[in-house]
Each structure stands twice: as structure tokens, then as C-alpha cells.
Amino acid sequence: MKKQLNKKQKQADHDLNVILILTLVPLLLFLTLKPTLLSYTNQTSVPLWLRLILLASCQFAIAGLGTSTVMLYRKESFRHFGLITKNLVTTLFQSLLVALPLIIFKGITHQIHSYLPLQSIQLTKEVMIQSFPSNILAYLFICLIWGFWEGFNYVVIVQKINLRYPQYVKGVWNLGAFVCALICLLIHGMIGFDSLSLLQEGTVFILIYGMLLVQRRTGNAWGCILIFVLLWNAF
């Protein structure tokens, strides 16, 4: 006999369906139009802000639209998902620990040539050479869309998964974190079977799974946000 879902599970199930639809549709559209979009956003004859807003809209549609729609519909606050000051120091310290394997891997494999948060984003370096205050405003906009929202997106999704599929086993197992870590590897194309690729996949998996496990244990999500602002795309 099929087990009946309680009210919270039904809501989480509905929310996950909304997030899935509002993620996959923009993702498929982006992948279809990717060559044209990237060609356009590389044209320096087009105003920078116009290209940045277009690229940011694509990014937010994939990693932000679904979760923000659910938050607005449910009237859920950022505090509800852990953007609080309680346990902040503990969260940041533990988040740094789970980031160390990836940092060490990048150092050993000579992938660290310079450090600038979000420098791997297509328009970041062009933004930085603009005049003040346009460069600061554009850079903060990049931090908001590619840093804050991408990190926060995982926080919302993991909570919805764990509400829909509650786990009663204590320890390091976290279904939502496991699913989100796999999603991250797939979306960012980090799937390979040679030894170097497997090591990279392992360190990224530890990073995403670990930061979400820390968030669940401390109730504070700032570690997830800062990892995506200060570490992801920074080398």
C-alpha cells in the first residue's frame, strides 16, 4: 500500500516539480541557443550592461528562477533557509574545511594562476577594466547572480528534497546534498573517467555535499553562499 504524504511532503513535492520545470526549460533553451548567445555577449560593440544583463538573465533562469518562484509562492524568507548570524563562525570554518580538497587539487594540478572571485565568468575581466562606478556595480551584479543565487539555489533545493524524502538515519548521509552534488557535476560537465577527472569530481563532490551538510547541521547557509562567491569560478 502506497504511503500517504503529509502536508509538508505534498508541498515539497509540488515545489520540487515547479523548480524542476523552471530549471530544465531555461537550461534546454540555453543549450540550444548557446553558440548564438555567447557570440553576441562577446561582441564588444554592444554595450557591456546589455550583454551582462542578457547573460545574467540566462544564469538566473537556470539557477534561481525556480527557487525564487517557490519562495514567493510559499512566502518563505531568506532567514527560513539559513541566512542568519547564528553559528556563523562555526559554519564558515567547517565550510573552509570541505573546500580544502578542491583548493589542494587545483594547486597540485597547477590550475591556480591567479585569484579573483568569479573571474571565470565570461564578462568579469571586461567589467573590471570599466570606469568607476560602473565596474563596481557590474561586479556586484555578477556576485549576486553567479555567486549568491547559485549558492542559495542549492540550499533551497536540498531543503525541499529532504522535506519530501525525510531521512531518519543520523550521521553524514544527506539525500538532498547527494542529489545536489550530482546535479552540480552534471550541469558543469565534470564527468570523466580518467584518474585526473575522477579526482576533480571527487573534490567537487566533497565541496558541494560538504557545504550542504554543514548548512543542515548548523542551520546557517552563509557558508554555501560564500563558497560560490569567493571560491567557485575564482581561479
Side-chain angles (χ1 to χ4, degrees):
M1 184 176 179
K2 188 177 180 180
K3 186 178 179 180
Q4 292 294 318
L5 301 180
N6 60 38
K7 183 179 179 181
K8 286 187 176 181
Q9 286 178 305
K10 288 179 180 177
Q11 288 181 345
D13 191 65
H14 177 268
D15 293 346
L16 285 170
N17 286 330
V18 171
I19 292 170
L20 182 64
I21 293 169
L22 293 182
T23 299
L24 286 181
V25 172
L27 178 60
L28 292 173
L29 284 173
F30 174 76
L31 291 175
T32 302
L33 302 173
K34 185 177 179 179
T36 304
L37 286 170
L38 294 185
S39 175
Y40 179 79
T41 53
N42 277 323
Q43 294 180 24
T44 54
S45 58
V46 179
L48 176 60
W49 271 101
L50 185 60
R51 291 180 284 133
L52 180 58
I53 289 172
L54 174 61
L55 203 59
S57 298
C58 295
Q59 167 67 17
F60 180 76
I62 296 168
L65 178 61
T67 50
S68 58
T69 300
V70 165
M71 284 181 65
L72 288 171
Y73 178 73
R74 298 291 180 201
K75 297 180 180 179
E76 295 169 326
S77 67
F78 288 103
R79 288 181 59 83
H80 175 76
F81 292 100
L83 293 190
I84 54 177
T85 56
K86 184 180 179 180
N87 296 324
L88 178 61
V89 175
T90 302
T91 299
L92 296 182
F93 177 72
Q94 293 182 7
S95 298
L96 175 61
L97 290 181
V98 300
L100 282 178
L102 179 61
I103 296 172
I104 293 170
F105 171 79
K106 285 185 174 292
I108 292 174
T109 55
H110 307 290
Q111 296 183 44
I112 300 177
H113 304 291
S114 61
Y115 174 79
L116 175 67
L118 299 164
Q119 69 169 314
S120 297
I121 304 304
Q122 184 180 346
L123 296 177
T124 299
K125 291 183 178 179
E126 187 178 345
V127 160
M128 297 306 292
I129 62 174
Q130 301 301 305
S131 59
F132 179 85
S134 181
N135 55 350
I136 300 300
L137 293 174
Y139 186 63
L140 290 176
F141 184 56
I142 288 172
C143 290
L144 174 65
I145 301 300
W146 278 271
F148 177 87
W149 268 114
E150 185 164 359
F152 187 69
N153 198 54
Y154 285 111
V155 174
V156 177
I157 293 172
V158 75
Q159 187 175 120
K160 297 297 181 181
I161 291 174
N162 290 334
L163 279 173
R164 173 59 183 85
Y165 303 99
Q167 301 129 66
Y168 305 102
V169 180
K170 293 183 179 180
V172 298
W173 172 244
N174 186 318
L175 177 63
F178 180 79
V179 172
C180 285
L182 291 181
I183 290 172
C184 181
L185 289 172
L186 289 170
I187 287 182
H188 292 282
M190 295 182 181
I191 302 298
F193 299 100
D194 59 278
S195 58
L196 201 62
S197 296
L198 289 172
L199 279 173
Q200 181 177 15
E201 292 159 19
T203 58
V204 171
F205 186 91
I206 290 170
L207 175 71
I208 304 301
Y209 188 95
M211 74 176 193
L212 293 170
L213 187 63
V214 169
Q215 189 275 329
R216 188 179 188 186
R217 288 184 168 184
T218 65
N220 190 302
W222 281 111
C224 302
I225 304 301
L226 292 179
I227 279 175
F228 273 86
V229 172
L230 299 177
L231 179 63
W232 200 251
N233 294 310
F235 302 111

